[in-house]
Amino acid sequence: SADGELVQYHYGLKDLVTILFYIFIAIILHAVVQEYALDKINRRLHLSKVKHSKFNESGQLVAFHFTSVIWCLYVVVTEGYIANPRSLWENYPHVYLPFQVKFFYLCQLAYWLHALPELYFQKVRKEEIPRQLRCIALYLVHIAGAYLLNLTRLGLILLLLQYLAEFFFHMARLVYFTDENNEKLFNVWAVVFVVTRLFTLTLYILVIGFGLPRVENQALDPERGNFFSFLFNNILFRMSVLLLVCLFQASVMWRFIHFQLRRWREYWNEQSSRKRAAAGTKQQAKPLKRDSGYHENGVVKAENGTSPRTKKLKSP
């Protein structure tokens, strides 16, 4: 306001109306990206039905993740969450939010809720629906949990790291669909994925292991939005949560390593098959050596009509 008063916001039932409005906005933006960008590229590439579906999925997610990474980075920098990591747990619970933080969370919830009807509009194959539903549900649970349980600052940093890795993955898939021999971006994604996993695990340990147990208000107070600090004061509960987090991150890394090993194995098998095919082609293209002269009735004759074999001289 004019007198310098800082206006902050709290969540409530009216958020549902706002989320519903932005669901329709997300559906419109989804259609615009599909019609004016992805469909035009698909006509030029002539992809198969399976690749066509994956190309559309990655194209939409590249646009969303790129926008979300820029927006989330702007929010965490302007709010000072990166410059001051202690702000992630200080003065917990963070019940009142700045406008840009609240608006960011509402838009994120709207996007992932709009992805449910898009499964029907995009005519996604039945085999792909369980995987996409699982992905949508995980995002909704984590974003809504951070928003309702007043862990919005921690949630912003985790979303930034997750979206950054996802952006490089889907960008690598788009480049791969246009040129199957170009897999350099997958190597970039592998590095970014490992780095973001390490940062995520470090952040969990820092906030859960050292930050929340030192909050001044350790009593359970749902009316004031304090749901966790009294639990993290118990070292047994705190260690159990950290163990679950480490196991989950380890399972993610194991799937990632398994995926990389399978990709490298397929790559080397493809390279070896190409080398064998090239060697066979060279052998077939190698000219056959023939004896001088020509063949007549199965007998090799010299150019002057005589046999090329040396005649034995009879002794007198």
Side-chain angles (χ1 to χ4, degrees):
S1 60
D3 57 355
E5 182 182 0
L6 181 62
V7 180
Q8 292 185 327
Y9 300 85
H10 186 44
Y11 59 79
L13 292 177
K14 293 182 180 180
D15 290 345
L16 299 178
V17 181
T18 307
I19 291 173
L20 180 62
F21 172 77
Y22 284 103
I23 287 176
F24 293 116
I25 298 296
I27 292 175
I28 295 172
L29 293 176
H30 189 113
V32 169
V33 172
Q34 184 68 41
E35 173 129 10
Y36 292 97
L38 298 179
D39 286 345
K40 292 183 178 180
I41 299 174
N42 276 320
R43 292 191 198 101
R44 296 181 179 181
L45 296 177
H46 303 289
L47 299 174
S48 63
K49 290 184 178 180
V50 176
K51 290 184 177 180
H52 180 82
S53 176
K54 292 182 178 180
F55 184 88
N56 289 336
E57 178 191 357
S58 293
Q60 294 287 346
L61 290 175
V62 161
F64 168 71
H65 287 138
F66 179 76
T67 305
S68 297
V69 165
I70 300 300
W71 189 3
C72 188
L73 184 62
Y74 174 79
V75 171
V76 298
V77 169
T78 54
E79 294 297 329
Y81 300 153
I82 294 181
N84 182 21
R86 294 174 61 90
S87 61
L88 298 179
W89 62 82
E90 282 184 341
N91 301 322
Y92 178 83
H94 309 130
V95 179
Y96 299 104
L97 308 175
F99 170 76
Q100 60 179 354
V101 176
K102 180 181 176 65
F103 186 56
F104 177 81
Y105 270 94
L106 294 182
C107 289
Q108 293 295 313
L109 291 171
Y111 178 85
W112 290 109
L113 285 172
H114 111 281
L116 295 173
E118 285 294 342
L119 295 177
Y120 173 77
F121 295 147
Q122 295 293 322
K123 297 179 181 180
V124 178
R125 296 185 305 125
K126 292 182 179 180
E127 298 83 6
E128 293 290 325
I129 290 179
R131 178 185 63 82
Q132 295 201 22
L133 284 177
R134 185 166 59 250
C135 177
I136 293 170
L138 286 173
Y139 274 112
L140 286 174
V141 168
H142 284 81
I143 296 172
Y147 183 66
L148 296 176
L149 299 177
N150 303 315
L151 292 170
T152 51
R153 299 180 183 181
L154 176 62
L156 282 173
I157 305 297
L158 294 178
L159 277 178
L160 177 62
L161 296 172
Q162 176 67 20
Y163 285 165
L164 186 63
E166 289 292 312
F167 168 75
F168 280 101
F169 173 73
H170 290 287
M171 194 66 195
R173 278 218 305 186
L174 289 181
V175 174
Y176 176 77
F177 289 141
T178 57
D179 182 10
E180 293 186 355
N181 295 322
N182 191 348
E183 297 186 0
K184 294 180 180 179
L185 269 182
F186 277 111
N187 297 328
V188 177
W189 164 71
V191 175
V192 174
F193 182 86
V194 173
V195 172
T196 53
R197 290 304 99 192
L198 291 176
F199 271 102
T200 300
L201 184 59
T202 303
L203 194 61
Y204 272 119
I205 295 174
L206 182 64
V207 175
I208 296 176
F210 300 98
L212 290 178
R214 299 182 180 181
V215 175
E216 294 181 359
N217 186 10
Q218 295 289 342
L220 175 63
D221 192 358
E223 294 183 358
R224 296 185 57 187
N226 192 345
F227 299 101
F228 286 111
S229 58
F230 81 100
L231 292 174
F232 290 110
N233 194 29
N234 187 340
I235 188 171
L236 182 61
F237 178 82
R238 185 164 69 246
M239 296 304 295
S240 300
V241 172
L242 288 176
L243 179 62
L244 289 176
V245 169
C246 292
L247 290 176
F248 176 76
Q249 295 298 324
S251 65
V252 172
M253 285 299 300
W254 169 251
R255 289 197 298 269
F256 168 77
I257 294 172
H258 185 265
F259 169 78
Q260 291 295 326
L261 291 176
R262 184 180 62 186
R263 188 170 71 89
W264 289 338
R265 185 166 56 249
E266 292 175 355
Y267 173 77
W268 288 115
N269 290 337
E270 183 180 357
Q271 291 295 323
S272 61
S273 62
R274 286 181 179 179
K275 290 180 180 179
R276 287 195 298 268
T281 305
K282 288 181 179 178
Q283 289 180 358
Q284 292 178 1
K286 187 177 180 180
L288 297 174
K289 292 183 179 180
R290 294 192 175 187
D291 296 331
S292 60
Y294 65 94
H295 291 75
E296 183 179 342
N297 295 329
V299 179
V300 179
K301 299 252 181 167
E303 293 181 358
N304 56 4
T306 61
S307 176
R309 296 182 180 178
T310 58
K311 294 182 180 181
K312 295 182 180 180
L313 298 176
K314 295 182 180 181
S315 59

